[in-house]
Each structure stands twice: as C-alpha cells, then as structure tokens.
Amino acid sequence: MPANGLAIGPKLRYLAERARRIDIGSVIDRAKEVRDQHGQAVPATVWDMLWSAAKHDVAFQDYVDFDFAMLTKAERETFMTHPVSMQLAQQYSQPAGRAIFEDKIAFNRRFSNYIQREWLVVKEDNADEVRSFVESQGTIIAKVPVSHMGLGVRRYHAKDITDWSAFHRRLLDGDERLLEEIIAQHDDLAAVCPGTVNTTRIVGFYDGTDVHTLAVSQKFGRGEVSDQMSYGGFYTMLDPDTGHSLSAGYDSHGHVHHTHPDSGFRIADFQLPHFAEAIALIDRAAREVPEVQYAGWDVVVTANGADLVEGNWGAGVYENKPSVSGVRTGHKPRYRAAIGF
C-alpha cells in the first residue's frame, strides 16, 4: 500500500497516464507563475512539481493554486489534491451510482424530493408543454444532460422567442433537454452577485451510518448563467462548522477578489445563511444513492432553506489559498478522519 493508504493499482495507473500525457511546456509555464508570485527559481520549481506529483499525488495546478512554494513539507501534507480526490472517487463509487450523477435528468428524477424548483424534460412531442413552461417562468435555464464545469448551460427569456416550434427544435438539436426554473437565491447571496445563482459546494462522505462534511466552498459568479471559473466565477472556502468565509475569493487563473468586482461586497465577511439547513439537506441526500459514498454536492441557499442543484461523484477539490487566507493548512485531516485512508 502507498503512504496515503489508497489502493496501489489506481495510483500506478494514474502515474502511468500522467507520465504519458505530461506537457513540460505547461509545467514550465506554471513554474514561472510560481516564480512571479513567490520568487522561487523556475528549475527548482519544475523539479519540485515533478517530485510532488510522483511522490505525493500533487497535480501541477494544485501546486500553484495552493501555494506549495511557501509551505513546509508538513503543511503540504494537510492539503487535499485532485489526484487523491479522484482515487477516492474511484474507490468509493460504483458505476450504477455514477450513471445517476452523470446525467442531470436521471439525477433530478432520483433526487426530486430534494429539489424545490420546477423542471421539464424536452421531448419530441411536447413542444406545447415546453412553450407553456417557458412562458410561465419568463426566464429558464436549459441544460445538456451530460456536461461538466458549467458547460452546456444556457439561459433563455420567453420575451425573446418568436418561433416556438423552431425553439423546441433548437433545444432538441442542441441536446438541451433539461429545462429548469431559475432558483430564487437568498437575499444574502443576491447581495454579492444578483445576476448569477451562486452555488455552495459541500463535499461529503457517507460511511454507511453517518454523513461527514469534509469541505465547504462558496462560489460566486459574474452575472453569467453559471458561477464556474469558465464563466469568470471564483470561490472562497467556508468554515465547515459555521459556514463563514475564511478569506477573500480566488480562482485558478491568479485572480484574487477581496471584494466582488461588481457589487463591492467584501468576500471575507460572507456568512452563508441557513448553513445548518444546507448541511442537513446533504445529510439526507447523501444516503439516497449509497453506491456513491464520496461526492461533491452543489446547493443554492434560498429564503426557505436550500435547493439541491446537482451531485458530482468526481468531487473535485476546493482548498485554502495560503497567500490569500493566511491559513497554511488544508482539509485533508478531515478527509482522513472520516474516510480512514
């Protein structure tokens, strides 16, 4: 067994695939980012990044994002990384469960009791139903059922549609088969960014008896249809016990936001409303598909509690950024305590 206690097979397969796909030019570019921020020489950084990837399961972007250049060995050991997270995801999920999480329509059907918003599946024979739904909502979100990173998501306004038959065909041809009501987020979230529905990522692990909260991050958008980084969004870590922001916001592109660029809201002052209700929602939802024990859950806090948006069996990693937060430790101890790896 490797030092982190994860199965040796997946680890070796990951390393072999990583070695096959390695892009030295990309590594050097990241090393230059580290040099510009921390003053560490590029050759030393390249070597440290390669060694960290091979020995400690640290992705190159993790090294940059989590400021490993300024951390001690002991501090680095406390940070979750994407390779470790993916190994956990592979180990603690089964194909049948993954299929539900990967298809947004299947997910909505299975988790309908945890979803507050209205939604509709676009079919070949329901053009009139689609028109009625969109007109009743005014503005809707259309989603491609199988997509990632906020891609395949579009916002439509009923007032802009003049040919409903053509609109219905466009949805089918574009595989935008899931239509959803726009979630009415809590006023405290709208105060930060009213133009985007701002989601909270709660990473949890179901051990068969209890659901453990491992990490909580708050994502903020920039007025676009999604709060993902591909749409200009960013995040801040929340205290997993209180739901209060731990720092300013940041992303994987070197941007730091002490205040929201559009509203001016100070990110470090943010407190997620109805935090206990959001955690309770995930405590229930995480038991629904026991074939997926480890997942990243996206919720939106509303005036009445929390609305479940989606679950991700590949939970991803959101972590502290020491140069921004001043917090030089990560969340891996919580993961280890809950999962036992």
Side-chain angles (χ1 to χ4, degrees):
M1 298 286 285
N4 61 16
L6 295 170
I8 189 67
K11 179 181 176 68
L12 292 176
R13 286 193 294 272
Y14 169 81
L15 289 174
E17 178 63 17
R18 193 62 184 271
R20 186 183 69 81
R21 295 186 296 108
I22 191 169
D23 180 347
I24 291 297
S26 178
V27 175
I28 292 173
D29 286 342
R30 288 181 169 90
K32 289 178 179 177
E33 290 183 49
V34 173
R35 176 200 61 198
D36 294 343
Q37 183 173 4
H38 299 289
Q40 183 169 283
V42 170
T45 301
V46 169
W47 169 252
D48 196 22
M49 290 174 73
L50 293 172
W51 173 255
S52 297
K55 181 67 174 177
H56 300 291
D57 291 326
V58 180
F60 301 139
Q61 193 62 45
D62 292 339
Y63 188 102
V64 179
D65 288 346
F66 308 148
D67 296 323
F68 270 33
M70 65 181 286
L71 301 180
T72 66
K73 182 178 183 298
E75 290 168 341
R76 292 180 179 188
E77 283 294 318
T78 68
F79 279 77
M80 273 299 295
T81 64
H82 282 84
V84 173
S85 180
M86 184 49 65
Q87 290 175 62
L88 292 173
Q90 294 284 350
Q91 187 168 331
Y92 290 102
S93 64
Q94 302 300 318
R98 295 175 197 170
I100 297 171
F101 281 65
E102 289 172 349
D103 186 317
K104 292 177 173 59
I105 294 175
F107 183 88
N108 278 19
R109 285 173 173 156
R110 184 62 177 267
F111 289 90
S112 60
N113 291 335
Y114 307 89
I115 295 173
Q116 298 178 9
R117 63 196 177 279
E118 298 293 326
W119 56 280
L120 176 72
V121 177
V122 181
K123 304 175 184 177
E124 287 285 348
D125 60 353
N126 70 343
D128 290 341
E129 190 178 5
V130 166
R131 177 173 184 172
S132 177
F133 181 81
V134 178
E135 287 185 328
S136 68
Q137 296 295 332
T139 301
I140 57 95
I141 299 295
K143 298 180 178 179
V144 175
V146 180
S147 61
H148 304 280
M149 298 184 299
L151 303 176
V153 179
R154 188 171 295 180
R155 188 161 43 195
Y156 291 105
H157 307 284
K159 64 181 179 61
D160 297 332
I161 302 170
T162 56
D163 186 333
W164 286 95
S165 177
F167 175 69
H168 180 254
R169 175 47 53 189
R170 172 179 176 174
L171 293 174
L172 289 170
D173 290 346
D175 198 31
E176 297 174 322
R177 296 190 296 112
L178 177 60
L179 307 184
E180 293 187 340
E181 174 187 6
I182 292 181
I183 300 172
Q185 64 187 341
H186 194 283
D187 288 347
D188 289 359
L189 285 164
V192 184
C193 178
T196 302
V197 176
N198 304 287
T199 59
T200 306
R201 169 64 62 90
I202 301 173
V203 180
F205 179 76
Y206 176 47
D207 65 9
T209 302
D210 298 315
V211 177
H212 304 267
T213 300
L214 307 180
V216 184
S217 59
Q218 179 61 49
K219 293 179 275 187
F220 293 112
R222 296 294 311 280
E224 299 295 329
V225 68
S226 171
D227 57 13
Q228 294 280 9
M229 292 184 200
S230 53
Y231 290 87
F234 60 93
Y235 74 96
T236 182
M237 297 305 297
L238 303 184
D239 184 314
D241 297 315
T242 68
H244 195 280
S245 175
L246 295 176
S247 74
Y250 43 88
D251 60 22
S252 288
H253 307 294
H255 304 123
V256 176
H257 300 289
H258 293 281
T259 60
H260 193 282
D262 304 315
S263 68
F265 186 95
R266 188 171 182 271
I267 302 302
D269 291 339
F270 181 76
Q271 169 67 49
L272 184 67
H274 296 314
F275 178 68
E277 288 88 339
I279 296 298
L281 174 67
I282 298 311
D283 185 86
R284 298 193 304 272
R287 304 168 190 269
E288 185 71 27
V289 181
E291 295 89 350
V292 177
Q293 295 177 257
Y294 172 63
W297 302 90
D298 287 338
V299 305
V300 174
V301 170
T302 67
N304 301 317
D307 194 359
L308 181 62
V309 177
E310 65 180 16
N312 302 271
W313 73 267
V317 176
Y318 294 81
E319 264 290 11
N320 294 315
K321 187 170 181 63
S323 63
V324 175
S325 65
V327 180
R328 299 176 66 98
T329 53
H331 290 74
K332 187 183 280 188
R334 291 182 71 98
Y335 285 68
R336 288 189 184 279
I339 304 175
F341 66 96

